[in-house]
Amino acid sequence: DAKTTQPPSMDCAEGRAANLPCNHSTISGNEYVYWYRQIHSQGPQYIIHGLKNNETNEMASLIITEDRKSSTLILPHATLRDTAVYYCIVRALYGNKLVFGAGTILRVKS
Amino acid sequence: ETGVTQSPTHLIKTRGQQVTLRCSSQSGHNTVSWYQQALGQGPQFIFQYYREEENGRGNFPPRFSGLQFPNYSSELNVNALELDDSALYLCASSLGLAGGSNEQFFGPGTRLTVL
């Protein structure tokens, strides 16, 4: 599985967009980009995933660069409840193993 | 639709003891994965079960073992507990194996403390 690189922490003002970057320069053609988040003392929560096209759901948007070597998770209007550790994961096509890195601690401040 | 549940929520054991953790997968899911999360770190993959068979294992010793039952619920067993086994143990369920779009749904975890 490809390795990912994320900044250790980020701050965001409540109501503003939070843009969380992720580098995955060794991603292969059949690997998906997944984002999960973990709120303190809870299990990780699935947010969104994509292969090469940009994706949007009710929680977030995922922007993947054309060369697929990096991506950005966008929380359009961050709230205090979005404070969590955000994990960017690149996952092989077959099998369900998720390889978690250290993630990005996002702090949303009022 | 019932989510992933785990029991117990907290557990305290002493070194050398054995422990069994339980997980009920989300309705309709046939695959269960177990992860260990030490304090301040991301979850680490232990193993996965698909239709009652082990399907993939991470870098964990044989004293970590598991079972999956016909109803797709699962157990994680750890023998000869060590202090470093203290962690949050997470169970995740999903539907099927192949296909990159099958997201995993995690339970709340079991916090194990080994004294």
Side-chain angles (χ1 to χ4, degrees):
Chain A
D1 294 326
K3 183 178 178 180
T4 62
T5 304
Q6 299 178 251
S9 65
M10 295 181 64
D11 290 340
C12 179
E14 189 178 20
R16 303 298 294 268
N19 297 281
L20 292 95
C22 179
N23 287 321
H24 31 79
S25 59
T26 60
I27 191 171
S28 61
N30 62 357
E31 289 180 317
Y32 287 73
V33 180
Y34 279 75
W35 284 83
Y36 281 78
R37 73 179 182 183
Q38 188 171 24
I39 296 170
H40 183 61
S41 298
Q42 298 182 21
Q45 175 190 22
Y46 164 82
I47 300 173
I48 199 168
H49 73 276
L51 184 61
K52 53 184 177 181
N53 297 320
N54 297 338
E55 302 288 344
T56 295
N57 63 20
E58 65 278 3
M59 287 183 68
S61 295
L62 174 60
I63 308 298
I64 302 174
T65 58
E66 192 169 342
D67 63 7
R68 301 187 72 239
K69 293 184 176 182
S70 66
S71 61
T72 301
L73 178 74
I74 301 172
L75 307 179
H77 305 288
T79 70
L80 298 178
R81 289 179 296 177
D82 292 321
T83 293
V85 180
Y86 287 77
Y87 296 101
C88 169
I89 298 167
V90 174
R91 202 192 81 186
L93 182 61
Y94 295 107
N96 279 330
K97 180 176 75 171
L98 296 172
V99 180
F100 289 83
T104 295
I105 299 172
L106 175 68
R107 301 183 190 90
V108 181
K109 300 183 177 182
S110 58
Chain B
E1 186 177 270
T2 306
V4 179
T5 60
Q6 293 186 243
S7 63
T9 54
H10 295 86
L11 200 54
I12 299 175
K13 292 285 190 178
T14 56
R15 225 170 10 170
Q17 285 188 312
Q18 178 266 343
V19 69
T20 297
L21 310 182
R22 295 177 175 83
C23 171
S24 292
S25 58
Q26 183 163 312
S27 177
H29 285 181
N30 56 14
T31 304
V32 173
S33 302
W34 286 91
Y35 293 82
Q36 180 195 66
Q37 186 173 24
L39 199 62
Q41 299 181 21
Q44 300 298 307
F45 175 74
I46 302 175
F47 44 56
Q48 178 186 88
Y49 279 83
Y50 172 65
R51 293 185 175 179
E52 304 178 58
E53 297 289 330
E54 184 178 297
N55 180 69
R57 186 179 183 93
N59 188 27
F60 282 81
R63 59 190 185 84
F64 285 78
S65 63
L67 282 173
Q68 187 180 31
F69 301 99
N71 66 354
Y72 303 130
S73 65
S74 178
E75 287 182 355
L76 164 65
N77 299 290
V78 187
N79 294 322
L81 284 167
E82 300 177 0
L83 296 180
D84 285 349
D85 296 332
S86 294
L88 180 68
Y89 287 85
L90 295 159
C91 166
S93 75
S94 57
L95 178 60
L97 278 181
S101 61
N102 291 332
E103 62 266 28
Q104 296 191 6
F105 294 87
F106 284 81
T110 293
R111 173 72 63 186
L112 173 64
T113 302
V114 181
L115 302 176

